[in-house]
Amino acid sequence: MAFLSVKNIVKKFDTQTALNNVNVDIEKGELVSILGPSGCGKTTLLRIIAGLETPDMGQVFIDGKDCTQLPPSKRNFGIVFQSYALFPHMTVEQNLMFGLNQQKHLSKEERKERAREVLEMVDLYDHRKKYPSQLSGGQQQRIALARAISLKPAFLLLDEPLSALDAKVRVKLRAEIRRIQKKLGITTILVTHDQEEALTMADKIVVMNNAIVEQIGTPKEIYNAPKTAFTANFIGTMNLYQQDRTAWGVRPELIGITRTAKAGDPAYLKGTVEEIEFRGALTRIYGRLEESGETVCADMDSHLEETLCLKEKEEVFFHIPQSGIIRYPGQKGAERNTA
Protein backbone atom coordinates (compact mmCIF):
# COMPACT_ATOMS: atom_id res chain seq x y z
CA MET A 1 0.00 0.00 0.00
CA ALA A 2 1.08 3.58 -0.68
CA PHE A 3 2.43 5.63 2.24
CA LEU A 4 -0.61 7.91 2.16
CA SER A 5 -3.94 6.99 0.56
CA VAL A 6 -7.36 8.58 0.38
CA LYS A 7 -10.06 6.11 -0.63
CA ASN A 8 -13.52 6.99 -1.98
CA ILE A 9 -13.62 10.33 -0.16
CA VAL A 10 -16.95 12.20 -0.23
CA LYS A 11 -17.48 15.54 1.50
CA LYS A 12 -20.53 17.81 1.34
CA PHE A 13 -21.21 21.22 2.84
CA ASP A 14 -25.00 21.63 3.00
CA THR A 15 -26.11 21.03 -0.59
CA GLN A 16 -22.66 21.59 -2.15
CA THR A 17 -20.45 18.59 -2.91
CA ALA A 18 -16.82 19.52 -2.22
CA LEU A 19 -15.36 16.07 -2.95
CA ASN A 20 -17.05 13.31 -4.92
CA ASN A 21 -15.48 9.85 -4.61
CA VAL A 22 -11.86 11.04 -4.62
CA ASN A 23 -9.04 8.47 -4.66
CA VAL A 24 -5.33 9.39 -4.45
CA ASP A 25 -2.24 7.32 -3.58
CA ILE A 26 0.99 9.04 -2.52
CA GLU A 27 4.25 7.12 -2.24
CA LYS A 28 6.83 7.75 0.46
CA GLY A 29 9.22 10.57 -0.45
CA GLU A 30 7.07 11.93 -3.29
CA LEU A 31 6.14 15.56 -3.79
CA VAL A 32 2.56 15.46 -5.06
CA SER A 33 0.75 18.59 -6.21
CA ILE A 34 -3.03 18.89 -5.95
CA LEU A 35 -3.80 21.32 -8.76
CA GLY A 36 -7.03 22.94 -9.82
CA PRO A 37 -9.06 26.15 -10.01
CA SER A 38 -10.57 27.88 -6.99
CA GLY A 39 -13.48 25.94 -5.50
CA CYS A 40 -12.54 22.58 -7.05
CA GLY A 41 -12.07 20.84 -3.67
CA LYS A 42 -8.28 20.74 -3.38
CA THR A 43 -8.04 22.56 -0.02
CA THR A 44 -10.88 20.46 1.41
CA LEU A 45 -8.92 17.34 0.43
CA LEU A 46 -5.81 18.69 2.15
CA ARG A 47 -7.82 19.46 5.31
CA ILE A 48 -9.23 15.92 5.35
CA ILE A 49 -5.71 14.47 5.04
CA ALA A 50 -4.68 16.71 7.95
CA GLY A 51 -7.69 15.74 10.05
CA LEU A 52 -9.03 19.30 10.08
CA GLU A 53 -12.17 18.08 8.29
CA THR A 54 -13.94 14.72 8.55
CA PRO A 55 -15.19 13.06 5.34
CA ASP A 56 -18.83 12.04 5.01
CA MET A 57 -17.65 8.83 3.34
CA GLY A 58 -14.30 7.21 2.62
CA GLN A 59 -11.05 6.58 4.46
CA VAL A 60 -7.61 8.12 4.97
CA PHE A 61 -4.68 5.72 5.38
CA ILE A 62 -1.27 6.89 6.62
CA ASP A 63 1.53 4.32 6.50
CA GLY A 64 -1.02 1.51 6.26
CA LYS A 65 -3.10 2.67 9.23
CA ASP A 66 -6.71 3.90 8.96
CA CYS A 67 -6.45 7.44 10.34
CA THR A 68 -9.84 8.73 9.19
CA GLN A 69 -11.01 9.47 12.74
CA LEU A 70 -7.65 10.47 14.21
CA PRO A 71 -7.29 14.11 15.34
CA PRO A 72 -4.60 16.27 13.66
CA SER A 73 -2.30 15.98 16.69
CA LYS A 74 -2.02 12.21 16.12
CA ARG A 75 -1.14 12.35 12.40
CA ASN A 76 2.47 13.60 12.64
CA PHE A 77 2.56 16.18 9.85
CA GLY A 78 3.99 19.65 9.34
CA ILE A 79 1.97 22.32 7.58
CA VAL A 80 2.80 25.60 5.83
CA PHE A 81 0.02 28.05 4.93
CA GLN A 82 -0.21 30.94 2.49
CA SER A 83 -0.21 33.29 5.50
CA TYR A 84 3.02 32.64 7.36
CA ALA A 85 1.28 32.36 10.78
CA LEU A 86 4.41 33.49 12.62
CA PHE A 87 4.41 35.00 16.11
CA PRO A 88 5.27 38.67 15.45
CA HIS A 89 6.61 39.31 18.97
CA MET A 90 9.10 36.42 18.71
CA THR A 91 12.42 36.32 16.90
CA VAL A 92 13.09 33.83 14.10
CA GLU A 93 14.83 31.53 16.57
CA GLN A 94 12.04 31.86 19.15
CA ASN A 95 9.41 31.00 16.53
CA LEU A 96 11.24 27.76 15.86
CA MET A 97 11.90 26.97 19.51
CA PHE A 98 8.22 27.41 20.40
CA GLY A 99 7.34 24.10 18.74
CA LEU A 100 10.59 22.36 19.58
CA ASN A 101 10.17 23.14 23.30
CA GLN A 102 7.09 20.91 23.31
CA GLN A 103 9.33 17.95 22.41
CA LYS A 104 10.10 16.92 25.99
CA HIS A 105 11.98 13.83 24.86
CA LEU A 106 14.69 16.13 23.48
CA SER A 107 17.21 17.85 25.72
CA LYS A 108 17.61 21.63 25.63
CA GLU A 109 20.87 21.22 23.70
CA GLU A 110 19.24 18.89 21.18
CA ARG A 111 16.40 21.35 20.60
CA LYS A 112 18.83 24.22 20.01
CA GLU A 113 20.91 22.09 17.66
CA ARG A 114 17.80 21.12 15.69
CA ALA A 115 16.85 24.80 15.37
CA ARG A 116 20.35 25.63 14.12
CA GLU A 117 20.23 22.80 11.55
CA VAL A 118 16.94 23.85 9.97
CA LEU A 119 17.82 27.55 9.99
CA GLU A 120 21.02 26.76 8.13
CA MET A 121 19.04 24.55 5.75
CA VAL A 122 16.79 27.50 4.80
CA ASP A 123 19.72 29.94 4.85
CA LEU A 124 18.37 32.06 7.71
CA TYR A 125 20.76 31.28 10.57
CA ASP A 126 22.34 34.73 10.35
CA HIS A 127 18.86 36.26 10.75
CA ARG A 128 17.87 34.21 13.78
CA LYS A 129 17.70 37.22 16.15
CA LYS A 130 15.46 39.27 13.86
CA TYR A 131 11.68 39.61 14.14
CA PRO A 132 9.36 38.61 11.27
CA SER A 133 8.59 42.26 10.48
CA GLN A 134 12.29 42.82 9.71
CA LEU A 135 12.31 40.14 7.01
CA SER A 136 10.97 39.91 3.45
CA GLY A 137 7.94 37.81 2.54
CA GLY A 138 10.16 35.10 1.07
CA GLN A 139 12.27 34.96 4.22
CA GLN A 140 9.16 34.76 6.41
CA GLN A 141 7.86 31.85 4.34
CA ARG A 142 11.21 30.10 4.78
CA ILE A 143 10.82 30.47 8.55
CA ALA A 144 7.38 28.88 8.30
CA LEU A 145 8.91 26.01 6.30
CA ALA A 146 11.76 25.63 8.80
CA ARG A 147 9.28 25.49 11.67
CA ALA A 148 7.26 22.80 9.88
CA ILE A 149 10.24 20.52 9.21
CA SER A 150 11.99 21.12 12.55
CA LEU A 151 9.74 18.57 14.26
CA LYS A 152 10.71 15.87 11.71
CA PRO A 153 7.13 15.11 10.65
CA ALA A 154 6.18 12.01 8.65
CA PHE A 155 4.79 14.20 5.89
CA LEU A 156 4.50 17.85 4.94
CA LEU A 157 1.41 19.78 3.77
CA LEU A 158 1.86 23.00 1.77
CA ASP A 159 -1.33 25.02 1.25
CA GLU A 160 -0.72 27.63 -1.50
CA PRO A 161 2.57 28.55 0.25
CA LEU A 162 3.89 30.86 -2.50
CA SER A 163 0.79 32.65 -3.74
CA ALA A 164 1.35 35.78 -1.61
CA LEU A 165 4.86 36.34 -3.01
CA ASP A 166 5.93 38.25 -6.10
CA ALA A 167 6.93 36.33 -9.23
CA LYS A 168 10.74 36.37 -8.86
CA VAL A 169 10.67 35.38 -5.20
CA ARG A 170 8.15 32.65 -6.00
CA VAL A 171 10.43 31.09 -8.63
CA LYS A 172 13.42 31.14 -6.29
CA LEU A 173 11.53 29.79 -3.30
CA ARG A 174 9.89 26.92 -5.15
CA ALA A 175 13.36 25.71 -6.17
CA GLU A 176 14.51 25.96 -2.55
CA ILE A 177 11.48 24.07 -1.25
CA ARG A 178 12.07 21.32 -3.80
CA ARG A 179 15.76 21.11 -2.86
CA ILE A 180 14.96 20.79 0.85
CA GLN A 181 12.18 18.26 0.19
CA LYS A 182 14.54 16.08 -1.84
CA LYS A 183 17.32 16.38 0.75
CA LEU A 184 15.02 15.29 3.57
CA GLY A 185 13.12 12.76 1.47
CA ILE A 186 9.93 13.92 3.15
CA THR A 187 6.56 13.02 1.62
CA THR A 188 4.98 16.33 0.61
CA ILE A 189 1.57 17.45 -0.64
CA LEU A 190 1.42 20.84 -2.33
CA VAL A 191 -1.96 22.48 -2.97
CA THR A 192 -1.82 25.11 -5.71
CA HIS A 193 -3.81 26.71 -8.51
CA ASP A 194 -0.56 27.64 -10.30
CA GLN A 195 0.14 25.20 -13.14
CA GLU A 196 3.79 26.29 -13.50
CA GLU A 197 4.35 25.67 -9.80
CA ALA A 198 2.94 22.15 -10.11
CA LEU A 199 4.82 21.33 -13.33
CA THR A 200 8.22 22.46 -12.00
CA MET A 201 8.00 21.10 -8.44
CA ALA A 202 5.96 17.90 -8.42
CA ASP A 203 6.81 14.24 -8.99
CA LYS A 204 3.11 13.67 -9.56
CA ILE A 205 0.15 15.98 -10.21
CA VAL A 206 -3.46 15.42 -9.16
CA VAL A 207 -5.67 17.59 -11.40
CA MET A 208 -9.01 18.41 -9.78
CA ASN A 209 -12.17 20.07 -11.10
CA ASN A 210 -15.67 20.36 -9.66
CA ALA A 211 -15.03 18.00 -6.73
CA ILE A 212 -13.54 15.17 -8.80
CA VAL A 213 -10.08 14.05 -9.91
CA GLU A 214 -9.67 14.63 -13.65
CA GLN A 215 -6.26 12.98 -13.98
CA ILE A 216 -3.24 11.82 -11.99
CA GLY A 217 0.20 11.56 -13.59
CA THR A 218 3.72 12.92 -13.85
CA PRO A 219 4.08 16.52 -15.11
CA LYS A 220 5.11 15.22 -18.56
CA GLU A 221 2.16 12.82 -18.72
CA ILE A 222 -0.29 15.54 -17.70
CA TYR A 223 1.10 18.01 -20.25
CA ASN A 224 1.76 15.68 -23.20
CA ALA A 225 -1.21 13.34 -22.79
CA PRO A 226 -4.07 15.12 -21.00
CA LYS A 227 -6.94 12.65 -20.67
CA THR A 228 -9.80 15.18 -20.58
CA ALA A 229 -10.57 18.44 -22.35
CA PHE A 230 -10.52 20.20 -18.97
CA THR A 231 -6.98 19.01 -18.18
CA ALA A 232 -5.82 19.87 -21.70
CA ASN A 233 -7.16 23.39 -21.30
CA PHE A 234 -6.08 23.95 -17.70
CA ILE A 235 -2.45 22.80 -18.03
CA GLY A 236 -0.50 25.08 -20.33
CA THR A 237 -2.06 26.51 -23.49
CA MET A 238 -4.20 24.36 -25.75
CA ASN A 239 -6.06 25.03 -28.99
CA LEU A 240 -9.41 23.33 -28.39
CA TYR A 241 -12.08 22.81 -31.04
CA GLN A 242 -15.47 21.13 -31.26
CA GLN A 243 -16.40 18.77 -34.08
CA ASP A 244 -19.78 17.06 -33.79
CA ARG A 245 -19.70 15.36 -30.36
CA THR A 246 -15.90 15.30 -30.08
CA ALA A 247 -13.51 17.88 -28.73
CA TRP A 248 -9.98 17.88 -30.11
CA GLY A 249 -6.92 19.86 -29.20
CA VAL A 250 -3.35 20.63 -30.20
CA ARG A 251 -0.57 22.43 -28.32
CA PRO A 252 0.57 25.74 -29.88
CA GLU A 253 4.23 24.69 -30.04
CA LEU A 254 3.26 21.85 -32.40
CA ILE A 255 1.67 24.19 -34.96
CA GLY A 256 3.92 25.42 -37.77
CA ILE A 257 3.44 28.52 -39.92
CA THR A 258 4.46 28.67 -43.57
CA ARG A 259 3.71 30.78 -46.61
CA THR A 260 3.28 27.76 -48.87
CA ALA A 261 1.40 24.50 -48.40
CA LYS A 262 2.27 20.97 -49.45
CA ALA A 263 -0.17 20.02 -52.22
CA GLY A 264 -2.95 17.71 -51.09
CA ASP A 265 -1.86 17.71 -47.44
CA PRO A 266 -4.93 18.40 -45.21
CA ALA A 267 -2.67 19.36 -42.30
CA TYR A 268 -2.07 22.76 -43.95
CA LEU A 269 -4.93 25.14 -43.15
CA LYS A 270 -5.12 28.58 -44.73
CA GLY A 271 -5.57 31.48 -42.37
CA THR A 272 -4.67 35.03 -41.43
CA VAL A 273 -2.22 36.36 -38.83
CA GLU A 274 -4.17 38.53 -36.39
CA GLU A 275 -1.67 39.28 -33.63
CA ILE A 276 2.05 38.74 -32.96
CA GLU A 277 3.09 38.62 -29.31
CA PHE A 278 6.81 38.59 -28.44
CA ARG A 279 7.49 36.50 -25.30
CA GLY A 280 11.27 36.40 -25.19
CA ALA A 281 12.62 33.08 -26.47
CA LEU A 282 9.20 32.32 -27.98
CA THR A 283 6.82 34.39 -30.06
CA ARG A 284 3.10 33.64 -29.95
CA ILE A 285 1.11 34.03 -33.16
CA TYR A 286 -2.67 34.40 -33.01
CA GLY A 287 -4.54 33.76 -36.23
CA ARG A 288 -7.89 32.86 -37.75
CA LEU A 289 -8.53 29.86 -39.99
CA GLU A 290 -10.17 30.78 -43.30
CA GLU A 291 -12.51 27.82 -43.75
CA SER A 292 -13.87 27.36 -40.22
CA GLY A 293 -13.39 30.88 -38.86
CA GLU A 294 -11.81 29.36 -35.74
CA THR A 295 -9.02 31.16 -33.93
CA VAL A 296 -5.62 29.48 -33.68
CA CYS A 297 -2.62 30.04 -31.43
CA ALA A 298 0.91 28.98 -32.44
CA ASP A 299 4.25 29.32 -30.64
CA MET A 300 7.54 29.49 -32.50
CA ASP A 301 11.17 30.27 -31.78
CA SER A 302 11.58 34.04 -31.86
CA HIS A 303 14.63 33.79 -34.15
CA LEU A 304 12.55 31.79 -36.64
CA GLU A 305 9.70 34.30 -36.44
CA GLU A 306 12.16 37.11 -37.06
CA THR A 307 13.51 35.26 -40.13
CA LEU A 308 9.98 34.73 -41.46
CA CYS A 309 9.21 38.40 -40.79
CA LEU A 310 5.50 37.74 -40.30
CA LYS A 311 3.06 40.64 -40.48
CA GLU A 312 -0.40 41.11 -39.02
CA LYS A 313 -3.24 40.57 -41.54
CA GLU A 314 -0.89 38.45 -43.67
CA GLU A 315 -2.29 35.25 -45.22
CA VAL A 316 -0.33 32.13 -44.20
CA PHE A 317 -0.78 28.39 -43.74
CA PHE A 318 -1.02 26.86 -40.26
CA HIS A 319 0.38 23.34 -40.24
CA ILE A 320 -1.44 21.15 -37.70
CA PRO A 321 0.11 17.64 -37.73
CA GLN A 322 -2.19 14.68 -37.09
CA SER A 323 0.35 13.27 -34.63
CA GLY A 324 -0.13 16.32 -32.38
CA ILE A 325 -3.93 16.11 -32.20
CA ILE A 326 -5.60 14.71 -29.08
CA ARG A 327 -9.28 13.77 -29.35
CA TYR A 328 -11.88 13.70 -26.57
CA PRO A 329 -14.99 11.80 -27.74
CA GLY A 330 -18.21 12.90 -26.06
CA GLN A 331 -16.58 15.91 -24.41
CA LYS A 332 -16.99 19.60 -25.00
CA GLY A 333 -14.02 21.82 -25.70
CA ALA A 334 -13.68 24.35 -22.90
CA GLU A 335 -12.85 27.97 -23.53
CA ARG A 336 -9.27 28.13 -24.77
CA ASN A 337 -6.61 28.78 -22.16
CA THR A 338 -4.12 31.25 -23.64
CA ALA A 339 -2.11 31.97 -20.52
Side-chain angles (χ1 to χ4, degrees):
M1 180 181 278
F3 172 71
L4 198 156
S5 294
V6 294
K7 301 291 187 186
N8 309 116
I9 294 291
V10 174
K11 180 67 179 178
K12 295 183 179 180
F13 296 102
D14 297 324
T15 59
Q16 181 184 358
T17 300
L19 296 170
N20 187 6
N21 196 35
V22 169
N23 292 272
V24 179
D25 288 332
I26 298 168
E27 302 298 332
K28 196 170 185 64
E30 276 189 321
L31 192 157
V32 173
S33 175
I34 303 174
L35 174 68
S38 297
C40 71
K42 57 187 185 296
T43 295
T44 301
L45 179 57
L46 187 84
R47 290 176 61 83
I48 285 174
I49 291 169
L52 301 170
E53 297 280 359
T54 303
D56 299 323
M57 290 178 59
Q59 296 169 288
V60 177
F61 293 91
I62 301 172
D63 205 11
K65 180 182 178 182
D66 187 345
C67 297
T68 313
Q69 301 302 322
L70 277 186
S73 59
K74 301 292 185 181
R75 298 196 184 197
N76 190 20
F77 65 88
I79 191 164
V80 179
F81 298 101
Q82 176 182 343
S83 58
Y84 317 125
L86 300 173
F87 296 113
H89 62 286
M90 293 183 182
T91 65
V92 169
E93 190 172 46
Q94 288 168 341
N95 263 279
L96 250 69
M97 293 302 297
F98 182 82
L100 284 168
N101 285 338
Q102 313 307 313
Q103 307 299 301
K104 301 303 182 184
H105 63 284
L106 297 176
S107 68
K108 183 178 179 180
E109 290 72 23
E110 286 173 325
R111 296 196 294 270
K112 292 199 75 171
E113 176 62 18
R114 182 62 182 159
R116 183 191 64 78
E117 284 177 5
V118 294
L119 283 173
E120 287 183 346
M121 195 178 295
V122 298
D123 198 25
L124 282 174
Y125 184 73
D126 291 343
H127 299 277
R128 64 191 182 281
K129 300 301 181 184
K130 292 182 179 178
Y131 291 89
S133 62
Q134 297 174 290
L135 302 176
S136 68
Q139 289 172 323
Q140 290 183 56
Q141 194 57 290
R142 296 214 303 272
I143 301 168
L145 176 64
R147 184 177 58 187
I149 63 177
S150 66
L151 303 178
K152 295 189 175 180
F155 60 99
L156 185 63
L157 304 176
L158 307 176
D159 189 7
E160 301 271 9
L162 308 179
S163 57
L165 304 171
D166 65 49
K168 278 194 174 181
V169 175
R170 208 158 55 231
V171 169
K172 182 181 179 184
L173 196 50
R174 73 190 185 203
E176 290 184 7
I177 289 173
R178 185 59 164 143
R179 173 183 61 80
I180 292 167
Q181 184 269 335
K182 282 184 173 180
K183 181 176 180 179
L184 296 176
I186 186 170
T187 308
T188 301
I189 302 171
L190 166 71
V191 164
T192 183
H193 64 273
D194 186 322
Q195 53 174 281
E196 187 173 306
E197 205 168 283
L199 288 169
T200 56
M201 292 179 71
D203 296 304
K204 189 162 66 185
I205 298 174
V206 179
V207 181
M208 293 191 65
N209 181 41
N210 289 334
I212 66 167
V213 173
E214 292 271 344
Q215 185 172 349
I216 299 175
T218 66
K220 285 185 178 180
E221 288 169 347
I222 296 288
Y223 185 84
N224 293 326
K227 291 183 177 178
T228 66
F230 172 83
T231 301
N233 186 56
F234 190 74
I235 306 293
T237 300
M238 178 69 85
N239 291 282
L240 276 173
Y241 304 101
Q242 195 73 34
Q243 191 171 18
D244 300 323
R245 292 177 56 82
T246 298
W248 63 276
V250 61
R251 294 289 186 195
E253 64 269 23
L254 300 179
I255 298 177
I257 299 177
T258 64
R259 288 193 171 90
T260 58
K262 187 182 292 185
D265 189 338
Y268 288 87
L269 302 177
K270 194 173 184 180
T272 304
V273 174
E274 292 197 329
E275 186 180 348
I276 300 171
E277 190 177 81
F278 177 71
R279 294 190 168 202
L282 290 176
T283 294
R284 177 158 291 177
I285 313 296
Y286 295 97
R288 188 168 298 277
L289 301 178
E290 182 179 88
E291 187 173 332
S292 66
E294 293 272 13
T295 58
V296 62
C297 169
D299 286 342
M300 65 168 55
D301 183 280
S302 291
H303 292 299
L304 176 59
E305 190 279 327
E306 192 173 338
T307 302
L308 284 174
C309 200
L310 294 171
K311 299 286 188 285
E312 291 181 2
K313 299 183 180 179
E314 179 182 1
E315 288 191 350
V316 295
F317 289 93
F318 293 92
H319 180 251
I320 303 178
Q322 284 294 312
S323 60
I325 293 175
I326 305 173
R327 289 178 171 81
Y328 302 102
Q331 298 183 37
K332 288 186 176 180
E335 182 180 344
R336 187 171 299 114
N337 176 9
T338 56

